Amino acid sequence: MSVIERLDSESSNPTFTAVTTDTPTKPPAKVISKADALVDHIIATVGKEIILGLPLAIGKPINLVNALYLRAKKDPSITLRIETGITLEKPVGKSRIEKNFLEPFVEREFAGVPDAEYALGLRSNTVPDNVTISEFFFKAGSHINSPQQLNYTSTNYTHAMRDLLDKGVNVIAQLVAKRTEDGITTYSLSSNSDLALDMIPEMDKLKAMGKGIAVVGEVNTNMPFMYNHAEVADNQFDFILDGNSEPDHKDYNLFAAPHASISAEDHMIGLYSSCLLKDGGTLQVGIGSLSSALTYSTLVRQQNNRIYNKMLSELNVYEKFPICREVGGSGTFETGLYGCSELMVDGFVHLYKAGILKREVFEDLTIQNLINQEKIGVDVDISTVLMLFEAGAIHAQLTSADVRYLKRFGIFNKEVELIEGSLHVQEESCAADLQNTEALEWISKHALGNRLSGGVVMHGAFFIGPQDFYQALRDFNEDDHSKFCMTSVNYVNDLYDHMLGNQQIKQAQRKHARFVNSGMMVTLDGSVISDALENGQVVSGVGGQYNFVAQSHQMWDSRSIMKVRSCTFRKGKLISNILFNYGHNTIPRQLRDIVVTEYGIANLRGKPDHVVYTELIKIADSRFQKQLLEQAKAAGKVAKDYQIPKEFTNNTPEAIQAFYKKYTNEGFFGPFPFGCSFTDQELQLGKALKALKAKTATPLGKCKTIAKALSAPKPDDRINTLLKRVGLNEPQNLEEKITRKLLVAELSI
């Protein structure tokens, strides 16, 4: 249900909370076709000290932002502070070889996608003194060893709006979609309903106090128009930038994240995580290959259930990790899942199309509770009406409010009217008395709808993904759109009462929730490191991770699941991501719950420390288990005579590869199950360059690799073509000549 509809709807249910924005008294937005002209209006409204709040990722209005930034760069009397998160940037190579590799890919995959001028300024160190860019969430790893570490703001996603207000933001702007029906224009907050739904009413309050405020939308016809909470009236904005009235105007393409490659290890993490999902439950996931791996294995569970269970049996999952049987399952999804995730990734659309994401939730506590108790279903019959009467949602003698309520949720069809105490459908009528047998028969025959309306299978706060994901959203029909609700991050990320739904209804909707997130490292006491390094350098940000973990502990049937790769290479050295201790954490040990690596599942919630330590050691890479156990024993956290059970001592890459290869040969898994953004040439080169980077990360490794390259065979036509692709067919200096030999050797393997 849209925010606009909610303003006009009435409900007899006491849990219903209407949006309080005073929409009817606000004038419509002023539509402007040129970004520079809009900058003039903004300055005239708020002055030359501009504190600009921008949403995450693709919701940034690039034309407006670039015009504001360039104006401030030209006019030092303007002070511009940009407050935002996740600035998306096209990949750029550092060396000539990297640039040669990336340029054709970038030209193809990011055609028509503009750069954010302030991001280019940060990279070239040309941001003027009168401009500051502060982010609360970095694109992962984008600002390590960068001056931007100075301007990072650490906050939970749900506190971002509060922090923007504290910082004095006076302009908020975002990319929107637009539609006009029956002469009425509405806008969709689309990819970023996350902060705007809460922020706009607060900005209105500041305006009422006499402060100069500008709320701006920039129209882009490539943005999918999302319905429900995301659809707002044109008077929610002060200004709309819409260049589509200009001749030869063409809206720029949205930034799309290429399909991520899923490694064998990631697939194993996805497989283990998928058997923790409960049919009839709730799912939250993040972005990246670990999320894609979970989606893939969940699809296998649904579509190839026999093979799925064969995989679990071979891994001895239920004997080694009984938590799967206790909180998850291995069957198909008959009731289905409901998605409740700050980030709506493309995986949710895959699950929807596969008939997995299908459990509908409703904006009414009584209806939701009755569905949870299996007293009613989504198909309507007379028992639906009687159960609502028994629950006290409607009266025996139906009132006008009761009829509106029943029609709103599709229990009564649209033709039903209440006139002077009687129900009417066209020429037919009867007493509006639920205790009258004849009336019940009449209602069954004439008044009932077919199915509950207003059901939603997905609540999200923002989205980003590959181009085919955006196209899938644009291709949604009316029924599809009605089931996907982009909404406030404060609605999704916590359980507190909100203008769009209180805590009771949120909890009723989010039964058997599995909040699945990714971490970089985990310590043996169960603390998780996800956003920053030991020295304080920020890799990404907290975002909503803490919110979801805390939320999982507030609902008795919910669980937090942290996916962590067991080990990684750093500076050419293999190190464990399961550590004895670390100087920083994102999730403290008292919120520990379930941790998943490629070697299995550790169930930590409510367990004493000696169990927590040993459970995590059991799913560590076996090359590090001995050291971790010794550290734990030395600290007195594990008994001196404890030995790791034999079935957990073969946690090796070789074991992973053997299992993975067996099932890839049968047509399962694979690095790009959802499509590939790279050509065959790029895949070959990318794999070889990545391998070389790992092998030459240390001086010893570099010497060994060069020595082997000296005996490499003469390149054939295939390799010569690949060398030309990265400009190494004619090396320009000694370094490139050596690199050429190394690459030839790697491509010859």
Side-chain angles (χ1 to χ4, degrees):
M1 191 177 195
S2 74
V3 171
I4 298 170
E5 291 172 313
R6 290 188 73 114
L7 286 166
D8 296 326
S9 66
E10 293 179 36
S11 173
S12 60
N13 191 308
T15 64
F16 178 81
T17 305
V19 178
T20 57
T21 305
D22 190 16
T23 301
T25 64
K26 296 171 63 177
K30 183 178 180 62
V31 180
I32 298 168
S33 62
K34 297 286 188 180
D36 280 333
L38 178 52
V39 172
D40 292 334
H41 281 281
I42 289 172
I43 292 172
T45 302
V46 307
K48 288 192 171 184
E49 186 173 340
I50 301 168
I51 305 172
L52 174 65
L54 299 176
L56 300 170
I58 66 170
K60 291 179 174 57
I62 298 299
N63 284 336
L64 172 61
V65 177
N66 284 349
L68 271 169
Y69 175 78
L70 293 175
R71 180 73 66 88
K73 194 171 182 179
K74 182 179 179 181
D75 182 357
S77 69
I78 295 173
T79 299
L80 173 63
R81 193 160 88 238
I82 298 174
E83 298 285 344
T84 188
I86 310 183
T87 296
L88 298 169
E89 301 174 83
K90 302 171 192 175
V92 178
K94 295 179 180 178
S95 67
R96 188 173 76 93
I97 295 167
E98 286 181 349
K99 289 178 180 177
N100 289 339
F101 173 78
L102 283 171
E103 280 175 3
F105 169 77
V106 170
E107 288 175 7
R108 182 180 71 245
E109 290 297 315
F110 298 94
V113 178
D115 293 302
E117 291 291 339
Y118 74 82
L120 296 179
L122 286 172
R123 294 301 175 194
S124 61
N125 197 28
T126 57
V127 176
D129 292 339
N130 60 322
V131 177
T132 304
I133 298 101
S134 179
E135 296 192 72
F136 74 91
F137 201 105
F138 291 146
K139 181 184 174 185
S142 62
H143 288 294
I144 295 292
N145 299 317
S146 161
Q148 274 302 94
Q149 292 284 330
L150 298 171
N151 294 323
Y152 171 76
T153 299
S154 184
T155 191
N156 288 322
Y157 199 173
T158 52
H159 298 154
M161 183 193 76
R162 176 206 65 192
D163 293 345
L164 287 171
L165 293 171
D166 286 347
K167 291 180 177 183
V169 64
N170 55 13
V171 180
I172 59 171
Q174 74 174 78
L175 210 60
V176 297
K178 171 188 174 182
R179 70 171 177 171
T180 301
E181 292 190 357
D182 299 325
I184 298 173
T185 296
T186 57
Y187 295 96
S188 174
L189 300 170
S190 193
S191 68
N192 289 82
S193 297
D194 47 358
L195 300 181
L197 283 172
D198 296 285
M199 195 76 184
I200 292 173
E202 295 301 321
M203 300 299 273
D204 286 344
K205 292 177 185 177
L206 293 175
K207 288 181 204 171
M209 296 166 58
K211 296 188 177 181
I213 296 294
V215 177
V216 183
E218 178 180 313
V219 172
N220 188 303
T221 53
N222 294 311
M223 182 68 80
F225 193 103
M226 306 303 290
Y227 296 12
N228 294 308
H229 297 172
E231 185 176 8
V232 298
D234 65 348
N235 60 3
Q236 293 296 288
F237 301 93
D238 298 304
F239 304 105
I240 289 289
L241 176 62
D242 187 356
N244 289 290
S245 63
E246 295 288 328
D248 302 322
H249 173 83
K250 183 179 179 181
D251 286 328
Y252 54 82
N253 290 332
L254 303 177
F255 189 105
H259 288 285
S261 172
I262 307 175
S263 68
E265 291 76 14
D266 289 354
H267 269 303
M268 293 302 295
I269 293 172
L271 179 60
Y272 282 120
S273 299
S274 68
C275 63
L276 293 166
L277 307 183
K278 189 175 183 67
D279 186 24
T282 303
L283 178 63
Q284 178 260 328
V285 294
I287 198 169
S289 61
L290 288 175
S291 171
S292 298
L294 170 59
T295 298
Y296 177 79
S297 283
T298 305
L299 291 169
V300 174
R301 174 175 162 179
Q302 179 78 355
Q303 299 168 339
N304 294 277
N305 192 253
R306 183 185 64 82
I307 297 296
Y308 180 83
N309 278 282
K310 182 183 174 187
M311 292 177 181
L312 299 187
S313 178
E314 286 186 23
L315 294 169
N316 202 19
V317 167
Y318 285 118
E319 287 69 29
K320 292 172 70 175
F321 312 110
I323 185 64
C324 295
R325 196 182 302 278
E326 295 167 18
V327 307
S330 61
T332 56
F333 295 89
E334 302 305 316
T335 303
L337 300 176
Y338 152 64
C340 185
S341 183
E342 65 176 25
L343 173 57
M344 184 175 77
V345 291
D346 59 318
F348 283 108
V349 173
H350 291 302
L351 296 177
Y352 175 68
K353 290 183 176 180
I356 297 171
L357 191 74
K358 63 181 180 180
R359 182 172 77 83
E360 296 180 42
V361 300
F362 295 85
E363 293 181 342
D364 182 87
L365 182 59
T366 304
I367 290 175
Q368 190 63 55
N369 280 335
L370 289 173
I371 290 174
N372 290 355
Q373 296 160 13
E374 299 183 356
K375 291 184 177 180
I376 65 172
V378 293
D379 293 322
V380 171
D381 57 33
I382 194 62
S383 68
T384 309
V385 179
L386 293 174
M387 283 296 174
L388 287 169
F389 165 57
E390 185 179 310
I394 55 178
H395 302 87
Q397 189 68 41
L398 293 174
T399 65
S400 296
D402 292 337
V403 172
R404 286 194 296 270
Y405 172 71
L406 293 169
K407 289 172 71 173
R408 176 189 165 204
F409 289 103
I411 300 159
F412 274 5
N413 63 57
K414 294 180 179 179
E415 295 182 351
V416 178
E417 294 181 345
L418 183 69
I419 303 173
E420 296 180 353
S422 296
L423 294 173
H424 291 256
V425 175
Q426 296 179 353
E427 301 300 321
E428 303 288 338
S429 66
C430 79
D433 186 355
L434 299 183
Q435 294 177 323
N436 182 309
T437 302
E438 291 182 1
L440 292 177
E441 291 177 357
W442 185 93
I443 289 171
S444 296
K445 184 177 180 180
H446 298 286
L448 293 180
N450 296 317
R451 202 172 187 278
L452 290 178
S453 62
V456 168
V457 300
M458 177 78 220
H459 279 108
F462 80 106
F463 63 72
I464 181 174
Q467 283 291 358
D468 54 9
F469 171 49
Y470 303 151
Q471 190 59 50
L473 296 178
R474 289 190 287 263
D475 290 342
F476 270 5
N477 59 34
E478 291 283 331
D479 186 55
D480 296 328
H481 269 301
S482 70
K483 291 182 170 62
F484 282 73
C485 181
M486 300 306 295
T487 187
S488 162
V489 71
N490 286 289
Y491 179 85
V492 172
N493 282 34
D494 64 35
L495 291 175
Y496 301 123
D497 289 352
H498 188 267
M499 64 182 180
L500 296 172
N502 63 25
Q503 180 167 340
Q504 286 180 297
I505 199 165
K506 290 183 186 183
Q507 287 187 257
Q509 291 173 344
R510 299 172 194 186
K511 64 176 187 174
H512 301 297
R514 302 292 177 262
F515 299 113
V516 189
N517 292 283
S518 300
M520 298 187 297
M521 296 166 276
V522 59
T523 56
L524 289 185
D525 65 3
S527 303
V528 179
I529 301 95
S530 304
D531 69 309
L533 303 178
E534 197 165 24
N535 64 1
Q537 285 192 326
V538 179
V539 176
S540 53
V542 178
Q545 186 171 110
Y546 182 90
N547 294 137
F548 284 116
V549 173
Q551 187 179 159
S552 74
H553 286 266
Q554 292 176 274
M555 298 185 291
W556 71 269
D557 60 354
S558 297
R559 302 303 295 260
S560 164
I561 300 167
M562 280 292 179
K563 302 169 296 182
V564 179
R565 298 178 182 96
S566 71
C567 53
T568 191
F569 279 93
R570 289 200 187 103
K571 297 180 180 180
K573 182 180 179 182
L574 181 71
I575 61 172
S576 177
N577 284 330
I578 297 180
L579 308 169
F580 177 69
N581 59 3
Y582 200 71
H584 162 80
N585 69 53
T586 313
I587 306 300
R589 63 185 178 184
Q590 69 267 26
L591 293 181
R592 60 197 181 196
D593 197 345
I594 295 173
V595 175
V596 180
T597 73
E598 63 268 35
Y599 298 117
I601 304 163
N603 179 26
L604 312 179
R605 193 177 76 180
K607 299 294 190 297
D609 273 6
H610 76 95
V611 173
V612 172
Y613 278 65
T614 55
E615 287 298 294
L616 285 168
I617 291 171
K618 286 178 184 178
I619 62 169
D621 190 290
S622 290
R623 290 169 288 185
F624 301 99
Q625 285 178 322
K626 182 175 182 291
Q627 177 188 352
L628 289 169
L629 184 57
E630 288 174 352
Q631 288 175 296
K633 287 181 177 180
K637 304 302 289 188
V638 173
K640 298 294 184 183
D641 60 350
Y642 175 83
Q643 297 296 318
I644 302 169
K646 186 178 180 181
E647 61 267 32
F648 297 98
T649 58
N650 188 35
N651 293 351
T652 64
E654 292 75 20
I656 294 288
Q657 286 298 324
F659 179 89
Y660 179 75
K661 185 176 181 181
K662 174 182 176 179
Y663 283 98
T664 52
N665 289 339
E666 294 183 24
F668 294 92
F669 300 126
F672 295 101
F674 301 115
C676 182
S677 303
F678 299 94
T679 65
D680 288 342
Q681 280 190 357
E682 288 165 351
L683 287 174
Q684 293 177 62
L685 282 167
K687 182 179 178 182
L689 290 170
K690 185 177 179 180
L692 279 178
K693 186 175 181 179
K695 291 177 181 179
T696 60
T698 63
L700 179 60
K702 185 176 289 186
C703 290
K704 288 182 177 180
T705 307
I706 292 173
K708 288 183 180 179
L710 294 175
S711 59
K714 186 177 179 180
D716 56 20
D717 289 343
R718 176 186 70 89
I719 293 177
N720 277 324
T721 300
L722 295 174
L723 291 173
K724 187 175 181 180
R725 172 69 172 72
V726 291
L728 285 177
N729 55 320
E730 296 180 359
Q732 297 182 357
N733 52 46
L734 178 61
E735 182 181 354
E736 289 192 359
K737 289 179 181 178
I738 294 172
T739 302
R740 184 180 190 277
K741 286 187 175 293
L742 292 172
L743 188 55
V744 169
E746 192 64 36
L747 289 168
S748 300
I749 295 175

